[in-house]
Amino acid sequence: MAELENLRVIGGGSKNTIWMQILADVLGISVIQMESNSGAGFGIALVAAAVSEGVPVEEKMNNLLFDKEKFTPQPHRAALYQKKYQKYLRIHDAVCSIEAE
């Protein structure tokens, strides 16, 4: 399976810079906030236009969407999130074992 180099985001939640930084830190990849305020409907229309014109989706995307800001993972924050996630997993496993009884 191929690994993502970065994640491009658009729409509601992408307007919040704190959320974008959290995504980058938790996912461990760069998160690129796009200029447009459009959401999922725009993405669907973009794919449909590319297919109907017989061009790659990436080509259509590169002509219509532009990067606004790039958020890169901060190693010290990523380590903190990872530590909290490991704690969550231990709690989750403990609760699951109680439910299984």
Side-chain angles (χ1 to χ4, degrees):
M1 183 182 338
E3 287 194 29
L4 289 176
E5 292 178 23
N6 56 55
L7 175 68
R8 285 185 154 69
V9 293
I10 195 168
S14 70
K15 296 174 188 173
N16 187 311
T17 57
I18 294 170
W19 178 238
M20 294 299 93
Q21 186 60 58
I22 290 171
L23 274 179
D25 294 338
V26 169
L27 297 176
I29 60 172
S30 295
V31 174
I32 301 171
Q33 183 183 47
M34 306 305 291
E35 274 292 331
S36 177
N37 290 325
S38 302
F42 180 77
I44 293 167
L46 186 71
V47 171
V51 170
S52 70
E53 294 174 14
V55 299
V57 175
E58 293 81 9
E59 181 181 317
K60 199 71 165 161
M61 185 181 78
N62 290 337
N63 292 331
L64 295 173
L65 296 175
F66 303 98
D67 298 350
K68 181 177 181 181
E69 190 172 349
K70 183 176 184 178
F71 300 86
T72 56
Q74 303 296 313
H76 64 284
R77 289 185 191 151
L80 291 173
Y81 286 122
Q82 185 60 29
K83 185 176 178 182
K84 295 289 185 185
Y85 180 63
Q86 293 306 315
K87 185 182 239 182
Y88 160 79
L89 288 177
R90 288 193 306 275
I91 293 168
H92 176 272
D93 292 346
V95 170
C96 285
S97 69
I98 292 170
E99 287 182 355
E101 293 177 6

